[in-house]
Amino acid sequence: MNSKVKMIVAIAAAVVVSAAGAGGAVWYFMPKPAAAGAKEAKKEAEKPKDGKPVKYVTLDKVIVMLRRGPNEADTHYLSTDLVLASEPAKEKETKENLPLLRSLAVRTLSSYTMADASAMTVDKYAAELNKAFNANYEHEHTEKPFVEVMIGKLIIE
C-alpha cells in the first residue's frame, strides 16, 4: 500500500509541475499589454506632421473601366475604396467634396490600361490620386480640405 501512495503522489507532483510549466510558457509567450510609450506612439500616429489630430473620411466603391490595350478584347475593371485624412475642423468640408473627388478619381484611374494598372503599386496609385487632387484644387484656387488620400481597398479585375 505504501508504494501505491508514493506512486500516486509522484504522478500528482508530475502533473502539478507540468501544469505550472505550461502556464509559465503561456504567460511568457502572451502579448504584453501596451506600455505608456506605445500609447503615446499611437496618439502620435493619429496626428499629421504638423501635430494636429486627424479624422478619416471614406470614399467607397470607386469603380472604373480600364482602357483597352492594343490587341485586348476583354474588358477590365478597377475598384477602390479611398480614405481621406482630414483635420477635424475640415471633416464636413471634405465630406461635401466627395462627389468632386469621386469624379477626379474616376478621371485619373480610367486612363490606365490593364497592363499599366497591374504594374502599379498601392503607393503609386495614392501618389497619382494625390497629384490629381492637388492639381485640381490648385487650378480652382481653393484650399484642399484634406491632408492626403490613401487607398483602403484596391481590386483589379
Side-chain angles (χ1 to χ4, degrees):
M1 186 83 162
N2 195 10
S3 75
K4 286 185 180 182
V5 172
K6 287 182 182 178
M7 182 65 80
I8 292 172
V9 169
I11 291 173
V15 168
V16 168
V17 169
S18 297
V26 168
W27 173 81
Y28 181 78
F29 289 109
M30 266 179 49
K32 305 298 183 235
K39 288 180 184 177
E40 290 298 320
K42 184 179 176 186
K43 287 181 183 177
E44 288 299 318
E46 293 178 355
K47 296 180 181 178
K49 293 175 181 130
D50 60 358
K52 296 178 182 173
V54 175
K55 289 285 192 173
Y56 296 100
V57 178
T58 60
L59 177 57
D60 293 332
K61 297 180 183 145
V62 177
I63 301 171
V64 298
M65 186 171 73
L66 297 172
R67 285 187 312 122
R68 291 182 191 210
N71 302 323
E72 267 190 27
D74 295 334
T75 303
H76 298 285
Y77 295 92
L78 181 145
S79 174
T80 186
D81 291 348
L82 304 179
V83 179
L84 304 156
S86 175
E87 296 174 6
K90 295 186 177 186
E91 181 182 11
K92 183 179 178 190
E93 185 180 351
T94 301
K95 287 180 180 179
E96 291 170 352
N97 278 273
L98 288 180
L100 169 66
L101 298 174
R102 178 181 298 278
S103 174
L104 292 171
V106 167
R107 185 181 320 149
T108 302
L109 297 174
S110 65
S111 66
Y112 295 111
T113 63
M114 179 62 173
D116 295 337
S118 297
M120 292 175 64
T121 64
V122 172
D123 292 333
K124 181 69 175 164
Y125 280 107
E128 290 296 319
L129 288 170
N130 276 309
K131 189 169 98 175
F133 292 165
N134 289 341
N136 182 71
Y137 281 101
E138 188 176 301
H139 179 264
E140 292 182 358
H141 303 292
T142 57
E143 184 180 351
K144 189 170 71 166
F146 57 93
V147 179
E148 70 173 326
V149 64
M150 299 170 284
I151 305 295
K153 177 174 69 174
L154 179 67
I155 299 171
I156 302 171
E157 191 175 295

